[in-house]
Amino acid sequence: MSIPPTPRMVWIVIGCNCLIALIALWLAWQLVKLRQILRGVSRALLDAERSTHGVLGGAPEVIIIGQRGVSSLRSQLPKWRRQQRNVRLFLTLISWIGRYGVRLQRRKR
């Protein structure tokens, strides 16, 4: 006791199937485009990583060398401060000798 399909029902089913097929085709096309975009992004990121690695590849060693240099410089600063103080005292002494030496020579004349 089945109801025979009417031509109108057949066309509705065919139309729904075509609509579903078109939606699936559009979705597949969008996925293909998304795949191409993601492939391009992936290539760009890999290129950026390669160039960054090329530029910064030796950075850790250079940073360690710089840290050693700064440490050495900091350990030498007290000695340099003493030398700077001695040089200032020496230059002050020379300045005084120059000033008073000129006055003494003028008085002798």
Side-chain angles (χ1 to χ4, degrees), residues 28-46:
W29 177 250
Q30 294 300 316
L31 289 174
V32 167
K33 287 176 26 179
L34 179 63
R35 181 179 172 200
Q36 291 172 346
I37 290 170
L38 290 176
R39 186 182 300 142
V41 169
S42 173
R43 286 182 184 154
L45 288 174
L46 284 173

Side-chain angles (χ1 to χ4, degrees), residues 1-105:
M1 197 171 191
S2 65
I3 302 174
T6 61
R8 187 173 185 188
M9 286 176 59
V10 171
W11 283 110
I12 290 174
V13 170
I14 291 173
C16 287
N17 282 341
C18 287
L19 183 63
I20 291 170
L22 286 174
I23 291 172
L25 182 64
W26 177 81
L27 185 60
W29 177 250
Q30 294 300 316
L31 289 174
V32 167
K33 287 176 26 179
L34 179 63
R35 181 179 172 200
Q36 291 172 346
I37 290 170
L38 290 176
R39 186 182 300 142
V41 169
S42 173
R43 286 182 184 154
L45 288 174
L46 284 173
D47 289 343
E49 191 273 333
R50 280 189 207 109
S51 64
T52 302
H53 181 73
V55 171
L56 300 176
E61 293 85 13
V62 173
I63 290 172
I64 290 170
I65 291 170
Q67 286 175 340
R68 288 181 190 150
V70 168
S71 174
S72 172
L73 180 66
R74 284 184 179 158
S75 69
Q76 293 177 7
L77 274 178
K79 181 178 79 170
W80 287 351
R81 286 189 180 129
R82 282 191 304 271
Q83 288 178 350
Q84 180 185 19
R85 188 181 64 236
N86 290 340
V87 167
R88 271 197 200 137
L89 288 172
F90 178 74
L91 291 176
T92 303
L93 181 64
I94 296 292
S95 171
W96 285 350
I97 290 173
R99 279 189 222 150
Y100 295 119
V102 169
R103 287 182 188 170
L104 289 175
Q105 285 179 356

